[in-house]
Structures are given as C-alpha cells and as structure tokens.
C-alpha cells in the first residue's frame, strides 16, 4: 500500500507544482512553495507522530497529503472541498470505503473550526499542520515570491500562529516543542520589527 501512496503523492504534487490555474507565474511559484515547504512538511510530521503515538499510518499519510488539496484550485472552504475531492479520488481508485471515510474526516477537521478532531489520526494531522506553520522555510519561500519582507510576513501571521497553537495542538509533548518555537519566532521577528 505504501507504494500506492507514493504514486498518489506524485499525483498531488503534480497538481500543486503544475498549477491548474493557468500561466500566472507568481501563483505557480507560490503553489510550488506551498507543496515543498508546507504539504510535504505536514506529511513528514504526521508520519512521525503516527509512529510515536501508534496511529494508522496509511490513513494519516493520505489525510496529510490531501489536507489542503483544493487550495491548488483556489477553492474554499478548503477543509470541506478538499475532504470531498479526496473522498471521491479514493473511492474511484478502489480504496476501502472505511479508509476513504477516515481520510475525509481528517481533512474536514484539520482546521479545528467548524469541525473538531476526535480520533487519534484526526488529532495528528491537525497538530502537524500547526507545527508546519512554524517552519521558517514556508514564509521565506512565500515572501521571496511575493517580494515581501519575511519578518513583516511573520509579524502579520503571529496571531494566527498563536491561535493555532491554542486550538490545533492535541499532544503535551508537541505543545512544549511549539512553545519553544513560538518564543523564538517572537524574539526574532516580532519584538525586533514591532
Ligand atoms: Fe488547511
Ligand atoms: Fe495546511
């Protein structure tokens, strides 16, 4: 099954990297950055957490892979649209219905807004998504493409990051790790540029 997931990963990657939104170069670069410095990070972190907490790796991998899928098509609300697209994709590709439903629910709940994670696998992808937002490469890449100041971008996002820390991290260990990241973020980019 792992081999199949790697094929699906290629499929999703191509959609982000080849951008279905036409020829807008800036948007293409942003989507490529999004894939490389966000989705891939969420996949890696989710798999690490799945190992650590003994979760279903297949379901977690697929959930992380598709969690922001509809952003490649610029379609919101991306939790709802992505969960629908992923479910359809998995059913069409002969995945077991229970697996498809679990993946659908991970994606639907990853923002912890309208829907809140309940299962271990749902909590893992939500947590990994929050942690990935603290990875500097994501903002550096986006700032480069948008020709914006990286520190300024972080400063604008610090409230969002704090909010994610409060709502989306379900494990004590990861809360501790993120607390450290957040402190560094603030010291480096918030207080200095305020
Ligand atoms: Fe998202
Ligand atoms: Fe995300």
């Amino acid at each position: 099954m792992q081999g199949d997931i790697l094929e699906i990963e290629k499929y999703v990657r191509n959609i982000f990297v080849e951008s279905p939104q036409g020829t807008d170069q800036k948007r293409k670069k942003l989507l490529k950055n999004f894939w490389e410095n966000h989705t891939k990070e969420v996949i890696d972190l989710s798999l690490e957490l799945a190992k650590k907490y003994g979760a279903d790796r297949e379901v977690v991998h697929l959930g992380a892979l598709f969690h922001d899928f509809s952003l490649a098509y610029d379609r919101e609300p991306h939790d709802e649209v992505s969960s629908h697209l992923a479910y359809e994709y998995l059913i069409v590709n002969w995945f077991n219905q229970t697996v498809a439903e679990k993946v659908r629910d991970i994606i639907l709940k990853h923002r912890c807004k309208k829907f809140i994670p309940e299962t271990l696998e749902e909590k893992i992808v939500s947590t990994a998504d929050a942690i990935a937002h603290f990875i500097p490469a994501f903002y550096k890449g986006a700032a480069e493409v948008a020709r914006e100041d990286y520190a300024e971008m972080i400063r604008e996002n610090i409230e969002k990051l704090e909010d994610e820390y409060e709502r989306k991290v379900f494990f004590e260990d990861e809360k501790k790790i993120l607390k450290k990241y957040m402190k560094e973020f603030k010291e480096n980019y918030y207080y200095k540029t305020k």
Side-chain angles (χ1 to χ4, degrees):
M1 195 47 87
Q2 192 66 15
D4 290 348
I5 295 183
L6 293 179
E7 280 306 306
I8 300 171
E9 202 169 303
K10 265 190 222 160
Y11 163 78
V12 176
R13 177 196 172 274
N14 282 346
I15 288 176
F16 273 98
V17 173
E18 286 169 15
S19 176
Q21 295 298 312
T23 51
D24 181 341
Q25 288 305 316
K26 188 169 152 186
R27 180 166 166 75
K28 276 189 181 215
K29 282 184 189 163
L30 281 171
L31 283 176
K32 189 164 184 267
N33 177 61
F34 191 85
W35 169 260
E36 282 169 2
N37 292 317
H38 180 65
T39 306
K40 263 177 69 181
E41 294 288 348
V42 176
I43 294 170
D44 291 348
L45 287 163
S46 295
L47 288 175
E48 265 176 45
L49 294 176
K51 197 173 174 195
K52 182 172 172 184
Y53 294 109
D56 181 330
R57 279 177 66 85
E58 181 192 24
V59 163
V60 163
H61 196 161
L62 289 166
L65 182 51
F66 281 106
H67 84 282
D68 284 333
F69 188 53
S70 78
L71 293 178
Y73 301 97
D74 221 357
R75 288 177 64 189
E76 291 277 9
H78 74 269
D79 41 0
E80 293 177 42
V81 183
S82 302
S83 72
H84 176 71
L85 293 174
Y87 181 75
E88 263 190 352
Y89 177 90
L90 295 175
I91 293 294
V92 167
N93 285 281
W94 302 100
F95 271 80
N96 170 301
Q97 184 159 359
T98 313
V99 169
E101 283 171 4
K102 285 181 181 171
V103 173
R104 178 195 65 196
D105 289 350
I106 286 178
I107 302 167
L108 192 62
K109 298 174 187 176
H110 84 271
R111 297 169 83 191
C112 303
K113 287 196 167 160
K114 210 159 145 191
F115 310 96
I116 307 297
E118 286 160 294
T119 67
L120 176 60
E121 287 74 16
E122 289 162 5
K123 289 175 180 171
I124 281 177
V125 176
S126 156
T127 301
D129 193 33
I131 297 174
H133 285 146
F134 283 84
I135 291 166
F138 174 65
Y139 290 97
K140 274 190 181 141
E144 219 169 85
V145 177
R147 292 181 207 282
E148 278 176 34
D149 184 344
Y150 169 53
E152 179 65 22
M153 202 173 238
I154 292 287
R155 203 158 60 86
E156 279 172 11
N157 278 283
I158 205 90
E159 270 179 35
K160 183 182 163 224
L161 293 171
E162 280 186 329
D163 175 58
E164 295 219 331
Y165 167 78
E166 293 298 334
R167 290 186 306 106
K168 292 182 51 163
V169 182
F170 288 87
F171 307 95
E172 281 315 308
D173 263 16
E174 281 60 40
K175 277 229 171 219
K176 269 187 219 151
I177 295 167
L178 263 191
K179 206 166 199 169
K180 243 199 319 188
Y181 279 10
M182 223 156 56
K183 200 168 159 265
E184 282 169 21
F185 255 75
K186 282 191 176 172
E187 284 166 3
N188 287 329
Y189 308 109
Y190 187 59
Y191 298 122
K192 280 185 191 164
T193 53
K194 207 172 167 182

